[in-house]
């Protein structure tokens, strides 16, 4: 994917590209901090601390501290122009790849979901215009998911993806450094144990299946990258460590009970009530 983004994200990394257009809304200017304190006080934190309100009057303007007022039409004009550029670039890219491939090429566009509408306020509108163009314009591709593509073209080259350069200093330092490296040992052990359980008890039913699926939820919650990010940046560190400990602890308890065939149904119900994310998860993905 050749599109590069420019936005100061939560990891403090500067990207260049569409979101940095000077006509777009400035994320860091908010009336929670800009407005007179006595005026804004009833609308911020109860203890009087200024917080973001979501009401932002300024546009990026340029690489200066001065920020001009936001103009909705200018922002839409930029989004429409950029979506057209994106579409034309993909058409050209696919044409070039098609000439050297035996099957239709696939271009995968993975982006952080919180970019759209959060850091990049106009992102959803950009997507809307892009999808309209794909639908109405004469382009040489259609939208498809990676799974659908694999179903259509199951025989493909095997490759190992490179480590992403995304994040501070370009080598995953945010998620692996002396402040949080202790966590990875526990995550690796839990990951291996999840695979072990899936292979020991394939196609389980009833209570055991419920426990196995809850193990998956606890593992995925423990693996959330935000815990390591929080520890690195020193914000709510105790909370992040508490969450990691709780999810690994619940996983380990269920792991031991499943292996010894002593599943505590009441405990399982309690854990499932606390952590009920991914209701349709299937532990057999670890088989």
């Amino acid at each position: 994917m050749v599109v590069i983004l420019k936005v100061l994200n939560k990891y403090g990394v500067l990207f260049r590209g569409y979101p940095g257009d000077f006509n777009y809304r400035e994320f860091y200017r908010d009336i929670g901090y800009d407005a007179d304190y006595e005026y804004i006080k009833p609308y911020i934190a109860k203890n009087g601390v200024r917080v973001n309100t979501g009401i932002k009057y300024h546009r990026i303007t340029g690489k200066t501290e001065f920020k001009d007022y936001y103009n909705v039409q200018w922002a839409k004009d930029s989004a429409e122009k950029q979506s057209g550029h994106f579409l034309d670039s993909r058409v050209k890219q696919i044409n070039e790849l098609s000439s050297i491939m035996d099957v239709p090429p696939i271009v995968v566009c993975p982006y952080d979901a919180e970019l759209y509408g959060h850091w990049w306020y106009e992102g959803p509108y950009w997507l809307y215009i892009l999808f309209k163009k794909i639908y109405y314009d004469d382009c040489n591709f259609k939208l498809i998911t990676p799974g659908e593509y694999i179903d259509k073209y199951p025989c493909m080259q095997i490759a190992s993806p490179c480590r992403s350069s995304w994040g501070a200093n370009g080598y995953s330092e945010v998620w692996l450094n002396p402040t949080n490296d202790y966590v990875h040992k526990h995550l690796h052990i839990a990951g291996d144990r999840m695979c072990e359980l899936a292979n020991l008890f394939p196609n389980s039913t009833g209570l055991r299946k419920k426990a196995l699926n809850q193990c998956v939820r606890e593992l995925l919650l423990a693996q959330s990258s935000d815990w390591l990010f929080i520890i690195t940046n020193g914000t709510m560190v105790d909370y992040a460590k508490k969450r990691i400990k709780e999810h690994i602890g619940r996983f380990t308890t269920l792991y031991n009970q499943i292996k010894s065939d002593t599943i505590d149904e009441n405990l399982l119900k309690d854990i499932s009530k606390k952590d009920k994310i991914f209701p349709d998860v299937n532990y057999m993905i670890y088989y």
Side-chain angles (χ1 to χ4, degrees):
M1 198 67 256
V2 296
V3 177
I4 305 174
L5 306 173
K6 175 191 174 185
V7 60
L8 276 170
N9 68 8
K10 64 183 178 182
Y11 307 109
V13 181
L14 180 64
F15 295 97
R16 292 180 172 81
Y18 297 148
D21 189 288
F22 292 167
N23 290 326
Y24 286 154
R25 196 179 76 167
E26 171 60 62
F27 177 83
Y28 291 99
R29 290 293 296 272
D30 187 287
I31 66 169
Y33 295 95
D34 290 344
D36 178 77
Y37 183 73
E38 291 304 319
Y39 168 79
I40 202 66
K41 187 176 179 180
Y43 310 103
I44 54 179
K46 291 183 179 179
N47 61 0
V49 175
R50 288 181 179 267
V51 296
N52 284 316
T53 65
I55 301 176
K56 306 172 189 294
Y57 290 145
H58 298 86
R59 60 188 180 91
I60 293 173
T61 309
K63 298 180 180 180
T64 66
E65 292 185 5
F66 170 76
K67 302 298 175 184
D68 203 352
Y69 286 117
Y70 183 68
N71 185 302
V72 175
Q73 189 56 55
W74 292 0
K76 287 187 173 181
D77 290 344
S78 289
E80 291 167 9
K81 180 179 178 181
Q82 290 172 355
S83 63
H85 173 265
F86 183 90
L87 178 62
D88 292 341
S89 298
R90 300 293 68 72
V91 169
K92 180 182 178 182
Q93 180 185 21
I94 290 169
N95 278 335
E96 293 174 350
L97 291 172
S98 296
S99 65
I100 58 174
M101 294 182 64
D102 296 329
V103 296
I106 180 172
V107 179
V108 183
C109 305
Y111 302 121
D112 192 337
E114 71 171 347
L115 172 67
Y116 295 92
H118 179 63
W119 298 104
W120 184 16
Y121 179 70
E122 299 78 9
Y125 182 73
W126 181 88
L127 283 173
Y128 168 71
I129 296 299
L130 175 63
F131 291 148
K132 282 187 66 176
K133 287 181 176 293
I134 292 172
Y135 183 83
Y136 288 108
D137 291 6
D138 183 21
C139 59
N140 62 352
F141 66 89
K142 66 178 182 179
L143 301 176
I144 193 171
T145 67
E148 291 170 339
Y149 182 85
I150 291 173
D151 289 339
K152 290 173 68 72
Y153 308 103
C155 184
M156 61 183 64
Q157 179 181 354
I158 297 176
S160 297
C162 296
R163 179 184 295 274
S164 171
S165 61
W166 186 60
N169 297 321
Y171 60 91
S172 305
E173 183 187 29
V174 171
W175 302 276
L176 180 59
N177 60 71
T179 69
N180 59 27
D181 55 6
Y182 76 94
V183 177
H184 289 274
K185 174 180 68 175
H186 303 289
L187 295 179
H188 283 303
I189 291 173
D192 290 342
R193 285 179 168 179
M194 191 66 243
C195 293
E196 175 193 354
L197 289 175
N199 282 272
L200 283 174
F201 307 105
N203 302 310
S204 293
T205 59
L207 185 63
R208 179 183 287 162
K209 181 180 180 180
K210 292 180 180 179
L212 288 163
N213 284 337
Q214 191 59 39
C215 278
V216 176
R217 296 186 184 97
E218 299 304 328
L219 175 59
L220 293 175
L221 287 168
Q223 290 173 331
S224 173
S225 66
D226 274 359
W227 308 137
L228 303 181
F229 158 75
I230 289 171
I231 294 172
T232 296
N233 287 276
T235 58
M236 302 291 289
V237 173
D238 290 341
Y239 175 74
K241 290 182 176 180
K242 176 175 176 287
R243 288 293 299 270
I244 295 169
K245 185 176 180 179
E246 286 178 347
H247 295 307
I248 292 295
R250 292 168 188 163
F251 174 90
T252 303
T253 297
L254 292 174
Y255 166 81
N256 290 328
Q257 290 185 0
I258 292 170
K259 288 201 67 177
S260 61
D261 196 22
T262 57
I263 299 172
D264 184 332
E265 186 171 3
N266 290 329
L267 176 65
L268 177 59
K269 286 182 179 179
D270 180 62
I271 294 175
S272 300
K273 185 177 180 180
K274 292 176 179 175
D275 300 328
K276 53 185 176 181
I277 194 171
F278 310 128
D280 299 322
V281 73
N282 185 344
Y283 76 95
M284 285 299 292
I285 60 175
Y286 290 88
Y287 180 71

